[in-house]
């Protein structure tokens, strides 16, 4: 390795000034981290990180995640200097609408950004997921090759480590002994509101020691040699590594060491002062030639050589291995996968049980399928029965014990999905989706095909009571953009919902499943696959040519609605019944299909779902009624809880009968 | 203190058998924790806990929270034995619908339950909040008395400590040196899915040491003398204390030490075996007389004596002090509080700024007002300027630096509110309400009047980009039962929204506030106070007798809508404009009022809000239009982001023009 010299110092100051200039030009941004952390970033990128800036999707590249996403200016500067497709003009348009350099790093906007970060703590969790993905894939392919063999690095700040998800992710990583995970901690003891002593005097190394990590401290954040040595030591550790690097926030700026430089531009005088302090005389937005040259040698060319070596080695592998790897990377599905899924003619089972069956079938055909639950595998029925737990001793096994860590699970699932090569799922009770909601949002924003298996989906949970009974969760999940929520009504719809999930490529899928049995519905065997794909469909039409009204339901309430439909028919009301497992899929259908399912002139509509009502008015309008739940549940036997909340056939029939369009209203067409 | 003897052993076994019998009778529940943790509970309750079972609301009682709420059977058994208003019949109806003994402890159902627990980790956070409340009130009243001087105890399990919120809360407590907080850790190394080694081998004491806690280990969970000594040591520590008590899950049951006894009844054979193992021969549901007598002496009578001493002492205090204390406990408001609030005739300011002004006025008149933010005080504008930070050295100061810990903040706010004597608020960006959502849910379930100050409420955040721009959060918060969400449109509505929040007694309030300026709206000075209370009101009526349509908006979009109304009037469209700061308040109004504001026959309706559209159909129906956002935001200057997302007057006018009721539809009255 080349010793650090004055050109490296020049590079660090170049990154510092570039970052500060970007922020100044944008009149917005966070100079504190870039000025303090530039040395550790340069040490890592120039001496250790194996990436190919011109082929940024190289499967075996090292991964780097800037968990402290507000330091994006530093990352973009480094991407530019390293030869990624980030131009000086991009840097000059930092934080501008439509630019390639948004305020926080966003996946898919610019090469070299491995994850969308900014919501603190989650970057660390995603790094843990990537390190786990690496171990999993290395184990899968290890018999034949070193196809997957790389490090995962992350840079975290004080804010990341205050967040609870950092505990969940780090504790998990320690237990899993993810030895190729190396985390640099920008230990500057200042956060947005002031010195961290206001709220955070935790001994971070001691904390990570308690998780089973290897910890080191670098006392001078400008000492690149020491930082680099610490990284190399960490590479040889048998445990995940935290390197606490003591830095000065806003190093070189007039208000260095204070929160004043955390999130505000330095201002013209501050920038001038910074340049003076660093002895920087170049014109604005300059990369010094010596810096460019060194970056080319030590980042671009070093990375390209590593990439070429890997390609040479890969070419010697058996074609079957290469094909399998390629198929997993491209998320390809075996052609006969659909045929392997079960169908149901009769009987009844909980949708979590059907889901369990589907998981077994998928696992047999998809070696890259991994998943688990947040210490509820036995309740969520998420275990791949043929496999054991993924552990340091059995890294090829595909069941992941996430622990009682819903949010951590969410971020780790994101990391697993980001890595490439795996399909992932994770389970907990629907009510605890609240804990992991912020990770689902990031999955949606990053367009990751993560599948969530959320069971115990209503007050039918029974005895565990209101803390365990979801009310608002179902509709709340539908509100997150780019998430597809599926609440299947019977075993056939459950298979179809999983089929939708496994075919997703650009969005996460939430499967909302029951604890209690669901009977196979008449017609679902032939209709469910298409119906679920369309999100809403007429599962049980009216008898005549035109219905007098429409019943709509999802999940376990479909059975109720079909019984109510029959009862209403006996009472002379000829209504149509629409099963609506996915509002999102329905909304994507052509208007002609939607109006066929829900004829606009039929205004007598009742929707029934054991969840919050707000939102169902999209389908029942001002004249219809929603039979739902706008209060918390209760502890008791499920049937008593349901009856007390008016989820019976009689209640639904009465609700329909009481729904009189236009009552008390002078309805008119304007 | 009386030494532990065979009657104490009998009491422990009595609690064990009672708990197991309750679960057996219910055919549902969690025997693992009660069997293992009965000794530590008995040691704590019989020798240390100062409570008055017959006056359970005694203000200066010690607090005890069962964070591992699934162990409720043990708590209920102990409440019964201790002389609380929990009968044997209540125990026999454990987990039955309508009983006083729901599956997880629920506040308000039975005396002696200090918090609703079950969602893991949150109980610890609430305990931290209670300990902080104790310190705060003790400091406020310390000059004259020991009016408030008690310990806060909690019992946590492995699941609690895996959850990230335990990190946030414990790290906060360590920094705050909450020395009167004592946490017993039921260290049984088993969780629902199996041994904790599957996912959790953290050195818990080392971890809590890193937070600045005092930690102790009791190696034999049946050694009550050792447990009691550890508690006494903890009482004298200057730091919060964790006592790790090594126990055997399901002690005495056939499958003790395994996850099989975590969450399932023992079964008849298992129960028989337990009784044999413990040498228990009494009839089912028996409390042995010696146990009852000891509980009466050591829990009830000891507590009553402590209560009487406190009352005697309190009676000597100046009346003004007693009155102030009483007023804070009963959440009374000074009569002239409303008059002290500002009104606005003109100008413009961000609603976060108006909120800041209101907080100052409230703080002057309400000594019990405390609050802060999750390291965003300078952005959320939540600082009480007259005060400093609440710290161990300045415990009477009312600004709380929660750190970058949104969820922890949520649970601590709940604990502060549960304690009594304080009014509390906490701030973060609206988008990060996701992180603390599960705590908001518990606040709502417990009917706690917590106020959340969520600022930066839309894509107008601008440069920080989609990770920091809320979309689905606003409507998602409206979905939580018993939460009142307020999104005020101008300075006068903001004052009115805070007024609603401060008058709330049985629900949390979410204030959704802007970063950007909001102009004072014509008419709001006179209309806002009543209008916000009603949730929705005609802020700007049509010109003629009947409107041809209705525009509805909240928050920053109200300005846009009023401008569009004027523009439409110029185009010959005479529409009414409804400001809707709170859907929940509007829904609580009489139907006559609702139909006056939104005449049912006026179907040409457009709602505009910079958030997810789903839900607004409640007010615009099948024929109206919602101008909202169903995709993530973007990084860029706010005005560009707004224009790109069609939030301009021209867009709203065009949307209204394109809303033609009945187009393509044969609307009819059935």
């Amino acid at each position: 390795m080349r010793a650090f010299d004055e050109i490296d110092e020049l590079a660090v100051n170049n990154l510092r000034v570039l970052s500060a200039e970007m922020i100044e030009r944008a009149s917005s941004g966070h100079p504190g981290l870039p000025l303090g952390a530039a040395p550790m970033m340069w040490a890592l990128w120039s001496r250790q990180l194996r990436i190919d800036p011109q082929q940024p999707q190289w499967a075996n590249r090292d991964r780097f995640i800037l968990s402290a996403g507000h330091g994006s200016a530093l990352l973009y500067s480094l991407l530019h200097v390293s030869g990624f497709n980030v131009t000086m003009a991009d840097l000059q348009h930092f934080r501008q609408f439509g630019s390639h350099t948004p305020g926080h790093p966003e996946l898919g906007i610019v090469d070299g950004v491995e994850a969308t970060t900014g919501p603190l703590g989650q970057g660390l969790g995603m790094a843990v997921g990537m390190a786990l993905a690496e171990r999993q894939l290395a184990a899968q392919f290890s018999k034949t090759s070193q196809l997957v063999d790389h490090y995962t690095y992350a840079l975290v700040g004080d804010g990341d480590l205050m967040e609870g998800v950092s505990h969940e992710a780090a504790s998990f990583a320690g237990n899993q002994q993810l030895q190729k995970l190396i985390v640099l901690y920008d230990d500057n003891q200042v956060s947005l509101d002031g010195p961290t002593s206001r709220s955070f005097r935790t001994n971070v190394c001691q904390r990570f020691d308690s998780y089973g990590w290897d910890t080191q401290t670098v006392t001078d954040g400008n000492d690149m040699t020491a930082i680099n040595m610490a990284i190399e030591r960490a590479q040889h550790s048998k445990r995940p590594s935290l390197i606490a690097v003591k830095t000065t926030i806003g190093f070189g700026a007039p208000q260095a060491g204070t929160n004043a430089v955390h999130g505000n531009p330095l201002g013209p005088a501050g920038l001038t002062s910074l340049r003076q302090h660093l002895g920087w005389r170049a014109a604005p937005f300059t990369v010094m030639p010596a810096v460019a040259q060194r970056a080319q040698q030590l980042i671009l060319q070093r990375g390209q050589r590593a990439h070429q070596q890997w390609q040479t080695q890969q070419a010697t592998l058996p074609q079957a291995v290469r094909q399998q790897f390629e198929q997993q990377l491209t998320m390809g599905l075996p052609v006969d996968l659909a045929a392997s899924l079960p169908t149901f003619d009769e009987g009844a089972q909980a949708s979590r049980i059907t889901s369990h069956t589907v998981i077994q079938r998928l696992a047999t055909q998809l070696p890259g399928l991994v998943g688990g639950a947040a210490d509820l595998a036995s309740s969520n029925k998420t275990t791949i029965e043929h496999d054991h737990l993924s552990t340091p001793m059995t890294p090829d096994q595909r069941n992941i014990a996430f622990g009682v860590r819903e949010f951590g699970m969410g971020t780790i699932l994101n990391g697993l999905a980001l890595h490439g090569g795996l399909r992932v799922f994770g389970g907990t009770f629907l009510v605890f989706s609240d804990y992991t909601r912020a990770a689902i949002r990031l999955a949606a924003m990053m367009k990751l095909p993560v599948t969530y298996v959320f069971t115990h989906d209503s007050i039918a949970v029974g005895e565990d009571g209101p803390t365990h009974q979801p009310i608002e969760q179902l509709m709340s999940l539908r509100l997150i953009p780019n998430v597809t929520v599926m609440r299947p009504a019977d075993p056939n719809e459950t298979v179809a919902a999983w089929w939708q999930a496994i075919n997703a490529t650009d969005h996460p899928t939430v499967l909302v499943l029951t604890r209690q049995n669901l009977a196979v519905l008449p017609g679902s065997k032939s209709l469910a696959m298409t119906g679920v794909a369309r999100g809403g469909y007429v599962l049980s039409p009216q008898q005549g040519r035109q219905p007098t009204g429409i019943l709509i339901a999802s999940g376990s309430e479909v059975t109720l609605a079909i019984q109510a439909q029959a009862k209403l028919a006996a009472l002379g009301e000829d209504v149509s019944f629409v099963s609506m497992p996915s509002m999102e899929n329905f909304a994507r259908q052509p208007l002609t299909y939607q109006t066929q399912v829900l004829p606009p002139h039929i205004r007598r509509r009742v929707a029934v779902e054991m969840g919050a009502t707000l939102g169902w008015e999209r389908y029942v309008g001002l004249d219809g009624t929603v039979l739902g739940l706008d209060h918390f549940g209760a502890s008791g036997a499920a049937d008593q809880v349901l009856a007390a909340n008016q989820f019976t056939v009689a209640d639904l029939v009465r609700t329909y009968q009481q729904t009189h369009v236009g009552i008390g209203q002078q309805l008119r067409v304007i």
Side-chain angles (χ1 to χ4, degrees), chain A:
Chain A
M1 198 246 5
R2 183 198 284 263
F4 289 92
D5 60 18
E6 70 283 355
I7 296 180
D8 294 300
E9 302 289 344
L10 194 69
V12 167
N13 286 338
N14 208 151
L15 293 172
R16 284 174 166 144
V17 173
L18 259 185
S19 298
E21 287 169 345
M22 289 167 63
I23 293 162
E24 201 59 26
R25 172 80 63 105
S27 298
S28 165
H30 301 74
L33 185 143
L35 295 176
M40 73 178 88
M41 282 286 272
W42 179 256
L44 171 64
W45 282 56
S46 69
R47 299 313 198 274
Q48 301 299 341
L49 199 67
R50 291 196 320 171
I51 49 174
D52 184 345
Q54 295 183 1
Q55 294 192 51
Q57 291 306 311
W58 171 30
N60 194 42
R61 69 193 179 279
D62 285 341
R63 304 302 199 271
F64 171 80
I65 297 190
L66 181 66
S67 188
H70 52 275
S72 58
L74 177 58
L75 178 58
Y76 297 141
S77 300
L78 201 43
L79 290 175
H80 171 70
V81 170
S82 304
F84 280 87
N85 185 22
V86 179
T87 66
M88 188 59 86
D90 290 331
L91 300 190
Q92 290 168 339
H93 288 89
F94 181 50
R95 293 186 151 237
Q96 302 311 299
F97 186 75
S99 81
H100 289 121
T101 48
H104 290 81
E106 292 178 35
L107 185 75
I109 302 277
V110 70
D111 292 343
V113 169
E114 298 279 7
T116 298
T117 53
L120 291 172
Q122 294 200 54
L124 176 58
M126 291 189 274
V128 170
M130 287 183 179
L132 179 61
E134 194 270 349
R135 189 182 77 181
Q136 205 82 27
L137 289 165
Q140 184 190 346
F141 290 98
S142 67
K143 287 154 201 149
T144 45
S145 73
Q146 312 247 298
L147 208 49
V148 182
D149 177 17
H150 67 79
Y151 290 100
T152 300
Y153 299 94
L155 192 155
V156 304
D158 289 302
D160 288 301
L161 298 187
M162 281 193 253
E163 289 287 1
V165 69
S166 71
H167 165 64
E168 299 183 16
S171 173
F172 174 90
N175 201 63
Q176 287 284 358
Q177 300 169 35
L178 296 176
Q179 61 188 66
K180 290 164 87 175
L181 172 65
I182 298 173
V183 176
L184 298 172
Y185 164 33
D186 177 32
D187 183 6
N188 64 30
Q189 305 196 359
V190 173
S191 61
L192 190 145
D193 271 340
T196 52
S197 59
R198 290 163 55 99
S199 55
F200 184 60
R201 270 177 298 207
T202 293
N203 182 329
V204 171
C205 284
Q206 187 180 20
R207 174 186 161 204
F208 276 72
D209 286 340
S210 82
Y211 297 146
W213 286 50
D214 185 81
T215 61
Q216 302 177 65
T217 300
V218 174
T219 53
D220 177 1
N222 288 327
D223 184 346
M224 287 185 277
T225 304
I227 293 166
N228 187 58
M229 278 176 57
I231 296 172
E232 292 190 347
R233 266 210 57 221
Q235 289 170 346
H236 296 101
S237 164
K238 294 293 175 201
R239 297 179 286 165
S241 281
L242 181 86
I243 303 171
V245 184
K246 303 276 184 195
T247 63
T248 301
I249 190 171
F251 179 86
Q255 293 177 291
T258 76
N259 62 320
V261 290
H262 167 81
N264 294 303
L266 301 181
L271 186 54
T272 302
S273 172
L274 174 74
R275 292 166 60 97
Q276 283 171 352
H277 188 269
L278 300 178
W280 196 261
R281 278 180 292 271
F285 291 101
T286 294
V287 174
M288 302 300 282
V291 172
Q293 187 187 11
R294 177 146 299 181
Q296 189 172 20
Q297 287 174 357
L298 295 193
I299 302 176
L300 179 65
Q301 292 171 3
R302 186 173 56 79
Q304 288 177 326
R305 277 196 303 277
H307 188 180
Q308 281 157 10
Q309 281 173 7
W310 179 83
Q311 282 174 320
T312 305
Q313 184 195 42
Q314 194 195 7
T316 66
L317 297 177
Q319 199 184 358
V321 173
R322 282 184 287 152
Q323 276 181 347
Q324 179 60 34
F325 187 58
E326 188 63 22
Q327 186 179 51
Q328 286 183 218
L329 285 180
T330 56
M331 302 291 279
L333 293 176
V335 286
D336 51 351
L337 186 61
S340 76
L341 297 178
T343 55
F344 297 83
D345 291 298
E346 57 183 9
Q349 62 183 214
S351 45
R352 61 173 172 155
I353 301 292
T354 311
S355 166
H356 180 256
T357 303
V358 174
I359 288 171
Q360 308 315 311
R361 304 283 175 94
L362 294 173
T364 304
Q365 297 214 38
L366 299 171
L369 185 77
V370 302
D375 200 48
L376 287 171
S378 44
S379 291
N380 303 139
K381 306 296 179 193
T382 44
T383 302
I384 299 172
E385 300 299 342
H386 186 266
D387 278 34
H388 295 285
L389 286 184
S390 173
T391 72
M393 288 70 71
T394 55
D396 61 333
Q397 300 299 296
R398 296 180 292 163
N399 291 303
I400 303 170
F402 289 105
V404 188
R405 305 182 179 106
E406 299 80 8
F407 193 8
M409 175 175 73
T411 62
I412 292 167
L413 288 170
N414 288 348
L416 288 164
L418 281 166
H419 184 281
L422 299 173
R423 290 170 186 278
V424 301
F425 63 91
T428 187
F429 290 158
L430 176 60
V431 76
F432 298 135
S433 65
D434 281 349
Y435 277 58
T436 193
R437 191 171 167 83
I440 300 173
R441 180 174 219 250
L442 267 196
M445 201 178 288
M446 294 189 287
K447 304 181 180 173
L448 301 178
V450 175
T451 301
Y452 308 97
V453 180
F454 291 153
T455 70
H456 295 59
D457 75 341
S458 75
I459 54 170
V461 161
E463 287 86 354
D464 273 341
T467 57
H468 286 55
Q469 293 169 352
I471 298 290
E472 70 276 23
Q473 284 72 18
L474 178 52
M475 195 64 79
S476 298
L477 289 163
R478 291 178 179 135
L479 284 164
I480 308 176
N482 200 39
V483 171
T484 298
V485 178
M486 303 251 165
R487 187 168 186 250
D490 84 338
N492 288 313
E493 280 199 6
T494 305
V495 173
W498 250 114
W499 181 244
Q500 289 291 306
I502 213 73
N503 277 278
T505 57
D506 62 357
H507 63 268
T509 303
V510 173
L511 301 176
V512 176
L513 306 176
T514 64
R515 176 196 189 198
Q516 74 275 26
N517 276 351
L518 299 177
V520 174
L521 297 166
S524 80
K525 187 182 172 186
S526 60
L527 294 173
M529 210 44 131
T530 317
V532 171
R534 287 176 171 161
Y537 64 107
V538 180
L539 175 58
S540 178
Q542 73 284 358
Q543 291 163 7
R545 199 166 151 273
Q546 281 253 52
T548 60
I550 306 172
L551 295 178
I552 315 171
S554 83
S556 50
E557 289 67 79
V558 168
T559 299
L560 197 67
I562 288 181
Q563 290 169 355
Q565 182 190 33
K567 184 91 180 171
L568 284 167
L571 296 169
E573 294 282 3
D574 188 18
V575 306
S576 157
F577 170 71
V578 173
S579 178
M580 182 80 81
S582 171
M583 287 190 182
E584 299 86 354
N585 277 11
F586 188 66
R588 277 191 282 268
Q589 301 310 306
L591 196 61
T592 50
Y593 176 77
Q594 292 188 34
T595 56
Q596 186 185 321
V597 174
L598 297 173
H601 65 283
I602 307 294
R603 296 287 170 119
R604 195 172 178 188
R605 302 176 179 194
V606 175
V608 53
E609 183 174 81
M610 286 199 277
T613 59
L614 186 68
W616 272 109
E617 294 87 353
R618 174 167 289 184
Y619 299 111
V620 306
L622 298 178
D623 306 304
T625 312
V626 188
L627 185 59
L629 277 170
D630 291 320
H631 55 262
F632 293 112
S635 172
D639 55 353
Q640 286 186 291
V641 175
L642 297 185
N645 285 286
Q646 309 195 300
F647 285 100
T648 66
V649 174
D651 289 310
L652 182 51
V653 166
R654 192 178 58 248
T655 301
Y656 180 84
Q657 288 173 325
Q658 289 171 353
T659 301
H660 297 295
V661 172
I663 271 214
Q665 305 171 2
Q666 293 180 287
L667 197 62
R668 64 170 191 183
V669 182
I670 294 173

